[in-house]
Amino acid sequence: MKKKNWISTIYISLVLLFFYLPIAYVCFFSFNESKSLTNFTGFSLKWYSKMFSDRTIMEAIYYTVVIAIIATVVSTIVGTITAIGLSKSKRIIKECVLQVNNLPMLNPEIVTAIGFMLFFTSLHIETGFTTLLLAHIAFCIPYVILSVMPKLRQLDDNLAEAALDLGCTPIQALIKVIIPQIKPGIISGALVAFTMSFDDFVISLFTTGPGVNNISIYVYSNVKRINPTINALSTIIVVIITIVLVTINVVPMINDKRKQKMIAKEI
């Protein structure tokens, strides 16, 4: 039994090393004084300075963040309302819509990207910020619906009816009863939507226009030449994501412990 635990520990350690060693490598050489990615010549922050002074990089960051935020907000609202509506619909309608909803996630991204490009072209819509944003909203909505639906299945159908019987309007019942109950699903759907939008490359490449690039497209355009500013940009993204994830996971735990202590004191 101990031998199996030892083997499992080694296996998990190797897997974690495989995933996180390249990230640590990039972060380490982002502070390298020279352009070398194999020889560390000295500690320096000049690549961070060059990154913030590079207009192209800052524009890529701006478009990435703005599109990700707008796409997340819109897709979360639309996806949540759609999921709630589907939970009250007939089974045949719900199953048909869910099957259609799963298509963008099952299809290869290149197929979805070409579909968006042909759609915008057929409507004679000039590609740019608007088309990029619409494409991101469209492919983020299914992930929100998929995250919210399990929470709605766990929800007691009598809660909404009880709220209506107690004098709530349908909107009040939605805001004060249903949404608080499915809040974890909404948050997880929003996080997935933000991640998918922030990280997307293939669909963005086919739906963007001249002068509108996100981080993924910028990195791809510079992948064949040594550009240490990309290491600096990647390090900042990793740090921000780590802080956000730790905050999201730690803050609820702290609040729960505080509530438990308050309840224990009252008892």
Side-chain angles (χ1 to χ4, degrees), residues 91-153:
R91 185 175 179 181
I92 297 176
I93 297 174
K94 181 168 67 175
E95 291 299 326
C96 290
V97 174
L98 288 176
Q99 291 300 322
V100 174
N101 180 71
N102 292 335
L103 285 176
M105 293 179 287
L106 297 174
N107 275 338
E109 274 200 341
I110 186 67
V111 176
T112 305
I114 293 173
F116 277 127
M117 182 188 68
L118 294 176
F119 175 74
F120 293 133
T121 303
S122 63
L123 294 178
H124 303 287
I125 300 175
E126 186 179 354
T127 55
F129 180 85
T130 303
T131 55
L132 184 59
L133 178 59
L134 291 174
H136 279 233
I137 292 172
F139 75 74
C140 284
I141 289 174
Y143 292 96
V144 177
I145 295 174
L146 195 66
S147 299
V148 175
M149 284 302 295
K151 288 296 178 182
L152 287 168
R153 293 192 188 101

Side-chain angles (χ1 to χ4, degrees), residues 242-257:
T242 302
I243 292 172
V244 171
L245 289 176
V246 170
T247 303
I248 291 172
N249 289 284
V250 172
V251 170
M253 291 174 61
I254 295 173
N255 291 333
D256 290 339
K257 287 183 179 180

Side-chain angles (χ1 to χ4, degrees), residues 49-71:
S49 177
K50 286 188 176 183
M51 184 197 74
F52 286 111
S53 61
D54 191 326
R55 183 178 177 181
T56 306
I57 297 179
M58 298 312 295
E59 285 182 352
I61 295 172
Y62 170 78
Y63 285 122
T64 302
V65 174
V66 170
I67 288 173
I69 291 174
I70 297 175

Side-chain angles (χ1 to χ4, degrees), residues 64-231:
T64 302
V65 174
V66 170
I67 288 173
I69 291 174
I70 297 175
T72 300
V73 172
V74 175
S75 63
T76 301
I77 294 172
V78 174
T80 301
I81 294 173
T82 304
I84 293 171
L86 288 175
S87 67
K88 303 298 181 182
S89 301
K90 293 181 180 180
R91 185 175 179 181
I92 297 176
I93 297 174
K94 181 168 67 175
E95 291 299 326
C96 290
V97 174
L98 288 176
Q99 291 300 322
V100 174
N101 180 71
N102 292 335
L103 285 176
M105 293 179 287
L106 297 174
N107 275 338
E109 274 200 341
I110 186 67
V111 176
T112 305
I114 293 173
F116 277 127
M117 182 188 68
L118 294 176
F119 175 74
F120 293 133
T121 303
S122 63
L123 294 178
H124 303 287
I125 300 175
E126 186 179 354
T127 55
F129 180 85
T130 303
T131 55
L132 184 59
L133 178 59
L134 291 174
H136 279 233
I137 292 172
F139 75 74
C140 284
I141 289 174
Y143 292 96
V144 177
I145 295 174
L146 195 66
S147 299
V148 175
M149 284 302 295
K151 288 296 178 182
L152 287 168
R153 293 192 188 101
Q154 298 173 6
L155 190 65
D156 189 353
D157 294 333
N158 297 321
L159 285 175
E161 294 180 4
L164 294 174
D165 291 339
L166 291 172
C168 286
T169 63
I171 295 176
Q172 288 176 334
L174 175 66
I175 296 173
K176 295 183 178 181
V177 179
I178 296 176
I179 290 180
Q181 294 294 323
I182 62 174
K183 188 177 178 180
I186 296 173
I187 293 173
S188 62
L191 289 174
V192 172
F194 183 84
T195 304
M196 295 299 296
S197 176
F198 193 92
D199 184 58
D200 181 74
F201 166 69
V202 177
I203 295 175
S204 299
L205 185 65
F206 279 82
T207 57
T208 190
V212 181
N213 294 324
N214 59 12
I215 293 174
S216 300
I217 296 174
Y218 174 80
V219 172
Y220 175 76
S221 63
N222 289 271
V223 74
K224 292 185 179 180
R225 56 182 178 179
I226 298 175
N227 189 355
T229 55
I230 294 176
N231 296 340

